[in-house]
Amino acid sequence: MIVRRSLPVVWSYVRASVGAGLVSLSALPALGQPFEKYYNTNMPEGRRTSEDLPSEVTALVPMLRSESVRELMPFADNLDNQPRRWLWLDRGNRRAFTMMEHLRLIEDPETPSEQLEGLSLVTFPEQTYYEGLLALPQAGIRAIDLAVFGSPLGEPGGFEGKRVLVPNFSAKFLLHMMAAGGAEVVGTHNDLQFEKLYSAGSDGGEVASVIRGEPGSIGFAWGTWPGDPSVFGHRAAEVRDGVGGGYDLIVLYRTYLNGLINPPAVRRIGANEFSEFEYGVEPAEMAEWLARSLNPGGRVVVYGLGRPQVVPFNQYRTDADVRCPISPDEAESAGLRVLVHDADENPGFFSLMRSVDIATNSTRRIKYNDARALYSVFEKPAG
């Protein structure tokens, strides 16, 4: 929970920031306005996800095939309003500090100056808190629906008592949605800004059920999963321990793309150059980890969504190659049954976008009319 601080605390932060050369005196008037809004937890600012999201998800109901997903749509009405949050980040997100962490650093005379250099104060409004940094998170509901349809998870109450893993989750409201069905949901991420953004105790924990059943829960495991600890260090070891196994569903939504995992050789990601969505293993090994982490009968969905490949000046857009990095042979060798592989999702995606835009009287998604969407579903055989 973000605690409302008194004006003296805010002033001491501003004074310390100016003294450390992090904020100029001329910037104080501009800085004062965001601080005032940040500490007023009742002030609506910009787009409020808790106000807009219910109408958006309601618009998706007619196209959802799974009863378990359809009955979860009231979850959006139960989302708490979130005050805007602030983080100090460097350009590559290799360093990230909460407001209070940054205050302690600049007040500590032993803090090395280089630890504070190159940091920028970044605002995270409520929309970002729930919907993440990737556009079109509502398509994640569609991905989950495709994954569970035709399985026990897709039946009424199908999420209750189940375990769900969302590696490198891109939208927190998707975690809320499944937890509202009584699931134990674990989200991982290797990006340090996510760890800091969701560092308050109230960001995880118990979530009330919207189907009048037992409550679900949200937990986090921070680091590169399932990366090799010998390469990725203690964070990979910690996230492996935190994730564990025994999952009934694993959701890889927009963060496990062939262009990110298998880019051209000249763009390969080195062991010490973490991409925003790094997993740390080759696709064949990833398939083995997915199979190892699932309960018998459990499913994996890989949902890829991206813009067209544009190659001026020989540039390569990694997010345009939305194919599943895991081949059917690699999946089967790992013990997974291939239910669908790189199926064309464009009709479903465009229908979803039209429904959301009509419901919100908006055309802000029309720029995605040239997007490409593919999805794959794998299942660990029962017995």
Side-chain angles (χ1 to χ4, degrees):
M1 180 176 64
I2 294 182
V3 179
R4 187 181 302 175
R5 302 290 178 179
S6 64
L7 185 59
V9 172
V10 176
W11 170 243
S12 97
Y13 184 87
V14 173
R15 182 176 56 190
S17 297
V18 173
L22 298 170
V23 177
S24 67
L25 288 172
S26 62
L28 284 180
L31 183 62
Q33 179 74 356
F35 265 95
E36 179 185 357
K37 293 181 180 178
Y38 175 77
Y39 287 107
N40 183 351
T41 59
N42 296 316
M43 178 175 291
E45 178 62 26
R47 180 167 180 265
R48 304 291 295 186
T49 292
S50 54
E51 295 176 358
D52 296 347
L53 195 59
S55 60
E56 293 181 357
V57 300
T58 300
L60 304 183
V61 171
M63 65 182 301
L64 297 175
R65 300 184 298 172
S66 305
E67 289 296 326
S68 63
V69 179
R70 292 169 64 95
E71 68 184 2
L72 294 183
M73 291 305 95
F75 86 96
D77 295 314
N78 297 338
L79 295 176
D80 295 328
N81 285 337
Q82 292 292 331
R84 60 166 54 194
R85 302 187 180 195
W86 295 69
L87 295 179
W88 285 94
L89 305 173
D90 68 2
R91 191 167 185 176
N93 295 340
R94 310 301 173 92
R95 290 173 294 152
F97 304 100
T98 65
M99 299 279 281
M100 292 302 106
E101 287 174 337
H102 191 260
L103 175 60
R104 287 192 292 269
L105 285 174
I106 61 180
E107 288 185 335
D108 185 352
E110 297 185 2
T111 299
S113 59
E114 57 269 19
Q115 192 169 1
L116 298 172
E117 292 175 353
L119 296 176
S120 299
L121 189 59
V122 179
T123 309
F124 294 87
E126 182 180 87
Q127 180 184 3
T128 304
Y129 177 88
Y130 280 120
E131 299 190 18
L133 303 176
L134 292 178
L136 311 176
Q138 290 77 10
I141 299 175
R142 168 78 174 170
I144 295 167
D145 182 56
L146 292 168
V148 303
F149 181 69
S151 77
L153 274 171
E155 298 172 358
F159 283 93
E160 192 165 13
K162 299 300 190 293
R163 300 192 74 213
V164 181
L165 176 64
V166 189
N168 280 338
F169 68 94
S170 58
K172 187 172 184 281
F173 83 76
L174 295 175
L175 310 187
H176 278 270
M177 183 188 81
M178 292 181 284
E184 177 189 344
V185 185
V186 176
T188 80
H189 216 293
N190 65 287
D191 193 329
L192 189 57
Q193 69 172 316
F194 274 70
E195 180 176 354
K196 299 300 182 179
L197 180 61
Y198 303 116
S199 60
S202 59
D203 293 330
E206 187 173 287
V207 175
S209 172
V210 296
I211 58 172
R212 298 179 298 280
E214 294 296 319
S217 65
I218 295 175
F220 301 106
W222 304 114
T224 301
W225 183 89
D228 186 346
S230 66
V231 177
F232 291 89
H234 68 91
R235 282 171 61 83
E238 291 171 359
V239 75
R240 278 189 178 183
D241 292 339
V243 167
Y247 291 95
D248 302 286
L249 177 65
I250 300 177
V251 179
L252 291 159
Y253 170 66
R254 293 199 67 188
T255 62
Y256 193 63
L257 309 179
N258 193 66
L260 296 174
I261 306 303
N262 295 318
V266 294
R267 297 293 301 276
R268 290 293 295 179
I269 299 166
N272 295 317
E273 295 179 53
F274 305 126
S275 72
E276 185 177 356
F277 303 117
E278 179 63 274
Y279 292 87
V281 294
E282 295 298 320
E285 187 178 353
M286 182 67 169
E288 294 173 357
W289 272 99
L290 294 173
R292 191 179 306 145
S293 302
L294 284 173
N295 285 326
R299 289 188 174 184
V300 178
V301 60
V302 181
Y303 192 99
L305 174 63
R307 304 294 294 277
Q309 186 68 265
V310 180
V311 288
F313 311 111
N314 294 321
Q315 294 179 351
Y316 176 80
R317 289 191 56 163
T318 57
D319 61 342
D321 185 352
V322 300
R323 294 173 297 165
C324 178
I326 299 171
S327 70
D329 288 344
E330 290 170 332
E332 292 172 356
S333 295
L336 295 173
R337 180 186 295 123
V338 181
L339 302 182
V340 179
H341 192 268
D342 281 344
D344 182 11
E345 168 59 1
N346 275 12
F349 170 72
F350 293 139
S351 176
L352 178 148
M353 288 298 99
R354 284 194 296 270
S355 298
V356 171
D357 273 349
I358 292 172
T360 57
N361 194 27
S362 169
T363 58
R364 60 193 175 93
R365 294 173 178 81
I366 198 169
K367 63 181 179 179
Y368 290 94
N369 60 5
D370 58 355
R372 185 186 185 201
L374 301 172
Y375 76 97
S376 302
V377 180
F378 308 108
E379 183 179 74
K380 184 173 182 177

